[in-house]
Amino acid sequence: MSDEYQTSGEYLHLLSEPAWQALRTPVALALRDAASDATLLDVGAGTGLGTEVLAAAVPDGDVVAVEPSPALRAVLLSRLAARPDLRRRVTVVAGDALGVDLPARLGAVLAMNMIGHLDPDGRRAFLRRVAERLAPGAPLVLNLQPPTEPTPVPFSVFGTVPVGHHTYEGGGSAEPSGPDAVTWRMRYRVLDADGTALREDHADYRWHVIPADALLTELTEAGLTGEVGPLDVVRAVRRT
Ligand SMILES: C[S@@+](CC[C@H](N)C(=O)[O-])C[C@H]1O[C@@H](n2cnc3c(N)ncnc32)[C@H](O)[C@@H]1O
């Protein structure tokens, strides 16, 4: 299986941290009522920024972090290695949202910045898989990311992070690539102290877009009731 994140793996954690400083509180709030006696699942865990929030939702809870990219698993595992409290209870699984074996009962499911990787059939199948296993009252937490329609997004720099004498910069643009998808063209650069680009990398990936109301309808069809909260964090629980 090819690794879609092979190039961006070097940059992703560094450049995602600022966004997660803002996401942490809404995600933690959305994870309320996670069941302490069932597995806490992070799907598309990446480098573990959400996994940490999920683990904090249930102190001592059993966490499974599913991540298909070897490059991102390497970052995730090295971060867990530095956190003995988490290393003890986070199991990292090489798998994906549709193929991974899931425990029969889930205490919470997190799928942040991930849902657009699934095409519409895959997304609906994923929601059904999760809905069938969520404990009563336990949340599925995911998020919507712009654009929600297949429209062009002009290039912009998303963020810069200094490391030593260098600055890491991430940016991108998107073009429609189907009735419900865009293709993002990401650009990563390493700049020296006077702003000269020392290196430049590119990564393209397809992202399936969905407006909020359509996602809420799909959640309902899967047997869940969803709501959209701050920063487009979506929380859904099983309908009783
Ligand atoms: C933008 S990253 C987000 C990582 C992390 N959840 C975060 O918010 O920092 C998207 C993640 O989804 C993962 N991913 C891609 N396709 C997937 C699939 N079919 N099933 C599960 N995860 C997938 C990628 O490998 C990557 O880790």
Side-chain angles (χ1 to χ4, degrees):
M1 190 162 93
S2 74
D3 183 353
E4 242 190 323
Y5 281 79
Q6 188 169 11
T7 300
S8 52
E10 177 181 350
Y11 306 97
L12 195 75
H13 183 71
L14 203 58
L15 292 164
S16 301
E17 264 197 317
W20 267 99
Q21 273 169 26
L23 279 172
R24 209 160 277 144
T25 300
V27 169
L29 288 172
L31 286 168
R32 67 185 178 277
D33 300 331
S36 56
D37 58 350
T39 305
L40 310 167
L41 182 72
D42 189 2
V43 183
T47 67
L49 284 158
T51 317
E52 290 168 321
V53 182
L54 181 62
V58 180
D60 273 340
D62 182 43
V63 180
V64 171
V66 175
E67 175 47 53
S69 158
L72 298 186
R73 283 200 305 276
V75 181
L76 172 60
L77 285 164
S78 68
R79 281 173 21 80
L80 291 176
R83 290 276 311 265
D85 53 327
L86 292 185
R87 189 173 64 178
R88 189 175 53 78
R89 61 192 181 100
V90 179
T91 304
V92 176
V93 175
D96 64 65
L98 301 178
V100 70
D101 282 338
L102 293 179
R105 200 155 165 280
L106 296 169
V109 177
L110 189 61
M112 287 297 293
N113 304 311
M114 188 290 282
I115 201 74
H117 279 302
L118 305 180
D119 66 21
D121 284 347
R123 184 176 61 232
R124 289 188 278 266
F126 171 65
L127 297 179
R128 280 197 306 274
R129 294 192 85 195
V130 166
E132 283 162 6
R133 293 168 172 85
L134 269 181
L140 161 66
V141 177
L142 52 83
N143 62 332
L144 290 160
Q145 287 179 292
T148 54
E149 303 283 349
T151 48
V153 181
F155 179 85
S156 67
V157 169
F158 302 146
T160 56
V161 179
V163 180
H165 298 302
H166 294 165
T167 296
Y168 287 72
E169 177 197 89
S173 59
E175 288 298 328
S177 57
D180 59 18
V182 294
T183 296
W184 279 99
R185 169 136 247 240
M186 307 299 293
R187 186 187 80 182
Y188 301 100
R189 297 198 303 169
V190 183
L191 309 173
D192 74 7
D194 67 10
T196 305
L198 300 170
R199 291 170 48 211
E200 178 168 324
D201 278 317
H202 293 266
D204 290 358
Y205 63 90
R206 197 133 191 265
W207 189 256
H208 296 273
V209 297
I210 183 168
D213 54 352
L215 179 65
L216 292 176
T217 300
E218 289 189 4
L219 288 167
T220 303
E221 286 164 0
L224 300 164
T225 302
E227 60 186 2
V228 183
L231 297 185
D232 284 337
V233 172
V234 178
R235 178 178 198 271
V237 294
R238 245 168 64 183
R239 267 199 314 284
T240 45

